[in-house]
Amino acid sequence: MKELTDWLADPVPSRFPYPAVLQEFHLVGKHFVSDATLKSLALARERLAPQPVADADAAERLLLDRFLDTALDKWDGRYDYPTYTSLGVLGLPTADDGPEAAAAARVTRDRLTVQLLADLLRFELAAVEGRTEWLPEMRPDARMVEKRHRLAVRVARPALERLGLGDRLTAADPAGQAAQLWALADGELLDGRERQVLRLSMLPVYVSHDEHMFIRVLQTFETTFALLALSIRTAIGHLDGARTEEAAAHLAVAESALAESAPLFSLLATMQVESFRVFRDFTEGASAIQSRNYKLVESLCRVPDQDRLDSPAYRSTPEVRERILAGQQTLDEACTTALGDPRFTAADREVLTASMLGFAGALRRWRQTHYRIAVRMLGTRSGTGATEGTPYLSSVRKIPVFRSVTEEPDTDTRTAPTGHPNEGEAAA
């Protein structure tokens, strides 16, 4: 690749040949990129490592470092779920950002949700209208694309409302609304850096059309769980200070964000099963069991039981496991303390209990729907990354979210979706 060779002679981060590199990756899929290209990228990383970075160039250098980390995961033998979904490139908020960052994190989540879904629809529109040759295998039919338009717009709407843009989708038809959503994101919700991040965060492993949607949906889920982790951590701090209303408000944000993401499962259900089974052959080593954000949310709710803490679920996320072993405070512990604290009135306890139960119910429903979509896609097959697949998810969905409050028993005993992974969205 001449552009990369030329850049290596003068490795300035702001002039890195991203378009040429992306074209190479997109032509065949990350799994099939040539050793020559990967070797040149590894050399680029080596050339950058010792170079000092001026403050003005720090953002460009950080983005390039994160992109190379993602692009070279298979070359390095450390390919996993976070690199498959380019989470480093996205630069999501973290639970350690502090309570003062919680409000900004919700805005970030809303902006990124709209951006990711708008880009998903941009690609779907380009494909159905014959304006792109990228990811050519197993294109969906027009009816399926129309369903994707409706569902993606549905997930984006609450975020658009909070961003003050809820009245901008005026088209009567799903394709028209999809086009408007992309035009809105492209014109008003993407600055130069965000636009670059959106491009660099899409590195499919193969050339199946549906993998684009799959990655964008996973990334959108991750933006939600990143917000949840920070919201729960912030709620814990408020309970320590006997500020019940503030804690409940952050749990309400977490509950609503999780509920708003529900149609993503219906969107995921439009993925062609055969397409999924083809490209997943090249995702070996990456599994959603490695989701740090999800495990952080679960472990911030309460300390996992010992058998789960010692299972592949947490051994696949060692940094989260280390937090737990170091004594990370949980919402369950904070709630137990609060319910016995004389500073909390009966009204405080009622508000807190209702907030805890509301969030717990939302998370249990999320787990159940996740399980049903996995059954649809995998059947009884094992998952990627040497995981147990649907039997694992079947057991996980029954884990109590909290111990300090009495949760309603689960009544949904179905083991597979009845034509749709989320009956609440079946009409879509």
Side-chain angles (χ1 to χ4, degrees), residues 78-408:
R78 52 177 178 76
Y79 173 72
D80 62 6
Y81 175 79
T83 59
Y84 175 60
T85 50
S86 298
L87 297 187
V89 174
L90 290 177
L92 302 177
T94 76
D96 297 327
D97 289 346
E100 65 283 351
R106 188 174 194 186
V107 175
T108 297
R109 182 259 181 186
D110 286 345
R111 287 179 64 89
L112 193 50
T113 292
V114 174
Q115 291 165 5
L116 291 168
L117 293 174
D119 185 67
L120 184 162
L121 294 178
R122 174 202 58 78
F123 177 66
E124 294 292 338
L125 284 166
V128 79
E129 294 170 2
R131 293 184 285 106
T132 182
E133 296 180 356
W134 183 31
L135 303 179
E137 287 197 6
M138 305 179 81
R139 297 275 199 220
D141 60 30
R143 177 177 170 276
M144 190 62 72
V145 172
E146 180 178 300
K147 181 178 284 189
R148 292 177 183 182
H149 292 162
R150 287 200 302 268
L151 291 166
V153 168
R154 181 178 298 182
V155 180
R157 276 195 182 279
L160 282 174
E161 293 285 349
R162 284 189 293 271
L163 293 170
L165 301 168
D167 61 347
R168 302 291 287 276
L169 303 186
T170 59
D173 63 301
Q177 290 188 357
Q180 286 179 330
L181 185 64
W182 170 247
L184 179 59
D186 192 36
E188 298 185 36
L189 288 177
L190 285 168
D191 61 27
R193 180 174 174 78
E194 289 171 321
R195 195 181 308 277
Q196 185 79 308
V197 165
L198 202 58
R199 294 190 192 105
L200 301 183
S201 61
M202 179 53 66
L203 293 178
V205 294
Y206 188 53
V207 293
S208 293
H209 174 96
D210 282 3
E211 191 180 358
H212 184 282
M213 180 187 70
F214 183 65
I215 291 174
R216 287 303 190 216
V217 168
L218 294 182
Q219 291 170 335
T220 307
F221 272 131
E222 287 293 326
T223 68
T224 293
F225 277 101
L227 174 64
L228 264 56
L230 179 55
S231 296
I232 294 170
R233 187 90 177 261
T234 304
I236 292 170
H238 284 311
L239 284 182
D240 286 345
R243 297 184 295 275
T244 309
E245 293 294 339
E246 290 93 332
H250 285 284
L251 287 179
V253 167
E255 181 184 347
S256 65
L258 202 52
E260 288 168 10
S261 71
L264 285 172
F265 282 117
S266 297
L267 180 57
L268 206 56
T270 68
M271 184 165 56
Q272 301 164 97
V273 174
E274 186 55 36
S275 177
F276 174 66
R277 290 176 180 172
V278 169
F279 72 73
R280 75 183 290 270
D281 282 345
F282 309 113
T283 63
E284 188 62 38
S287 168
I289 199 175
Q290 299 160 342
S291 172
R292 277 84 161 157
N293 287 317
Y294 177 82
K295 292 301 191 311
L296 193 53
V297 166
E298 181 184 282
S299 65
L300 282 169
C301 285
R302 73 173 178 90
V303 178
D305 296 333
Q306 192 63 47
D307 59 344
R308 180 152 173 77
L309 187 59
D310 291 336
S311 74
Y314 278 93
R315 293 195 180 277
S316 297
T317 55
E319 63 276 35
V320 178
R321 190 170 186 272
E322 288 169 9
R323 285 172 177 260
I324 298 165
L325 294 175
Q328 167 185 265
Q329 188 181 14
T330 70
L331 186 57
D332 208 38
E333 293 166 336
C335 181
T336 298
T337 300
L339 292 175
D341 190 328
R343 293 179 298 169
F344 289 81
T345 66
D348 288 332
R349 296 186 183 94
E350 185 177 343
V351 167
L352 176 57
T353 299
S355 299
M356 299 273 284
L357 291 176
F359 176 75
L363 185 55
R364 287 200 311 275
R365 288 189 294 274
W366 189 94
R367 289 171 175 169
Q368 175 66 22
T369 311
H370 183 199
Y371 167 68
R372 298 212 314 266
I373 187 66
V375 169
R376 178 182 184 276
M377 293 295 169
L378 290 173
T380 58
R381 303 180 186 196
S382 62
T384 53
T387 62
E388 297 178 30
T390 51
Y392 163 77
L393 293 177
S394 180
S395 63
V396 167
R397 64 187 169 136
K398 302 171 186 175
I399 296 174
V401 180
F402 301 116
R403 295 289 191 190
S404 57
V405 294
T406 302
E407 299 176 20
E408 294 293 327

